[in-house]
Amino acid sequence: MTSSRDEFALLDETWSSVEPPAARRMLIAAAAAFSVRGYHATTTRDIAAQAGMSPAAVYIHYRSKEELLFQISRVGHATSLSVLTAVSDADPVVRLTSAVRAFASWHAEFHTTARVVQYELTALTPEHLAEVVVLRRRIEAAVREMISAGVDAGAFDVPDVRGATLAVLSLCIDVARWYQPSGRRTPEQIGDLYADLVLRMLGAPTTP
Amino acid sequence: MTSSRDEFALLDETWSSVEPPAARRMLIAAAAAFSVRGYHATTTRDIAAQAGMSPAAVYIHYRSKEELLFQISRVGHATSLSVLTAVSDADPVVRLTSAVRAFASWHAEFHTTARVVQYELTALTPEHLAEVVVLRRRIEAAVREMISAGVDAGAFDVPDVRGATLAVLSLCIDVARWYQPSGRRTPEQIGDLYADLVLRMLGAPTTP
DNA sequence: CTCCATACTAAGCGGTTGCTTAGGCGTAAG
DNA sequence: CTTACGCCTAAGCAACCGCTTAGTATGGAG
């Protein structure tokens, strides 16, 4: 299965810094399983089997199944935040365009991680959720500031900045739900499409 | 808890045609639980307790826990399709505007049902999923046709109709994920906001 | 070689799961 | 009064869950 191998190669890219290798294999197996079946439908035996180890091996590297989820969610949120804020162009229009392109295409390319990040929040303990919510607020603030900067520069025509922020974020995040690697669009094409749609939504002068 | 009573009143509105009353109470309890905790994290004992009955009572009215989910998903999809296609205005711009307003605000007001509809598809059996996918395709086709009609009438400026359809649907559906009754926007305000944003996205001349 | 820490497995424990069985209770027809 | 039927519960079964325990293999330090 080629697509399955690609899948795991991409997950490996995201989690390459996790050591030791057995702990990384567990995380990758858990992310793949949580993404497809959901946290509650995934058993620790599933994860261990996918990682090629016994069920008890999970608990050598992680305190609980929930801690596995938390690590995926924490690193996933941090990664998506850094993807969003990596652009530092002076022009607010260019900055937002690049940010949306990168953020949307990340949710496609890394949809396995992104699905866990976006749709398994309710399975986290209150303490872990609180930690992740801090990152989510920073993601929202980053988008809002980029839109605000464009409005202040006279580049955008937005009557409701909070509402526009909500919509832009919502649009990008939902990519993780519907994206399929077998679909007709590549992550890059999705990024380009969404960057254009967002500029229109924000009333930026059309660049022909 | 006032908000909890409102919650159940709204669910009652959606499921009022289900008979007998005990079966309806089960459906409502299941929808509320699936929406908050997810299908797999909800036990048949949870559902029965919320409906004020014994665990075995579930199986008087439904063959399995999955059939409970299927009924919620099937009726929920059918309802959202009829909300989307209820508008029959001749003008394609008015038609799409009204449809988006209604579809987006439905995902807010009935977010409990909408969450089950949008996020628990993977828990359905293959047969039940296939039945629901037919409805999903009709929902997508309805939006695509409305956008196409606007393009044909020269009212929209859309380079990629399929892409625009994807984005419009995605935007509305994701309302179910982030909406909170305690939030700062009412379902109607969300509908108005989204109708405006979608018109901008589709390059419709701004109506001041 | 001994010692010990690390990484792992086989086996299993207590608790929970979806669902079944056997039977009770009320109502209405015969 | 008897019978039959629809709706419900008490009790429980087999399977499965997250996680623990006891023990094994490995490899490097002294």
Side-chain angles (χ1 to χ4, degrees), chain B residues 84 87-104 142-151 156 158 164-165 168-169 172 191 194-202 204:
Chain B
L84 185 69
V87 193
S88 57
D89 201 286
D91 180 9
V93 177
V94 174
R95 201 158 75 239
L96 184 78
T97 306
S98 303
V100 166
R101 200 192 334 264
F103 196 62
V143 172
R144 192 170 58 243
E145 276 159 26
M146 280 188 272
I147 292 175
S148 275
V151 170
F156 295 152
V158 177
T165 303
V168 169
L169 264 174
C172 294
Y194 272 41
D196 177 57
L197 290 172
V198 164
L199 283 187
R200 289 156 163 262
M201 224 165 64
L202 299 179

Side-chain angles (χ1 to χ4, degrees), chain A residues 36-37 40-41 118-119 122 136 157-164 166-171 173-175 177-178 184-185 190 193-194 196-198 200-204 206, chain B residues 36-37 40-41 118-119 122 136 157-164 166-171 173-175 177-178 184-185 190 193-194 196-198 200-204 206:
Chain A
V36 172
R37 264 162 296 182
H40 290 289
Q118 302 299 348
Y119 300 114
T122 55
R136 294 184 74 86
D157 168 32
V158 177
D160 178 352
V161 171
R162 283 199 108 90
L166 200 58
V168 170
L169 263 175
S170 176
L171 204 56
I173 285 173
D174 197 54
V175 170
R177 181 184 58 85
W178 59 259
R184 77 183 76 210
R185 287 166 217 277
I190 291 163
L193 173 68
Y194 272 42
D196 177 57
L197 290 171
V198 163
R200 288 156 164 264
M201 225 165 63
L202 300 180
T206 319
Chain B
V36 171
R37 263 162 296 184
H40 290 288
Q118 303 299 347
Y119 300 115
T122 56
R136 293 183 75 84
D157 169 32
V158 177
D160 178 353
V161 170
R162 284 200 107 90
L166 200 58
V168 169
L169 264 174
S170 176
L171 204 55
I173 286 173
D174 197 54
V175 170
R177 181 184 57 86
W178 60 258
R184 77 183 76 210
R185 287 167 217 276
I190 291 164
L193 172 68
Y194 272 41
D196 177 57
L197 290 172
V198 164
R200 289 156 163 262
M201 224 165 64
L202 299 179
T206 318

Side-chain angles (χ1 to χ4, degrees), chain B residues 21-51:
Chain B
R24 174 165 65 249
R25 285 201 335 261
M26 299 244 104
L27 257 194
I28 291 172
F34 291 166
S35 168
V36 171
R37 263 162 296 184
Y39 175 79
H40 290 288
T42 301
T43 70
T44 54
R45 285 165 176 82
D46 289 340
I47 297 167
Q50 180 63 257

Side-chain angles (χ1 to χ4, degrees), chain A residues 6-16 28-29 31-32 110 112-113:
Chain A
D6 292 351
E7 201 77 21
F8 279 81
L10 278 173
L11 284 168
D12 230 38
E13 186 180 321
T14 302
W15 308 106
S16 57
I28 291 172
F110 299 95
T112 303
T113 302

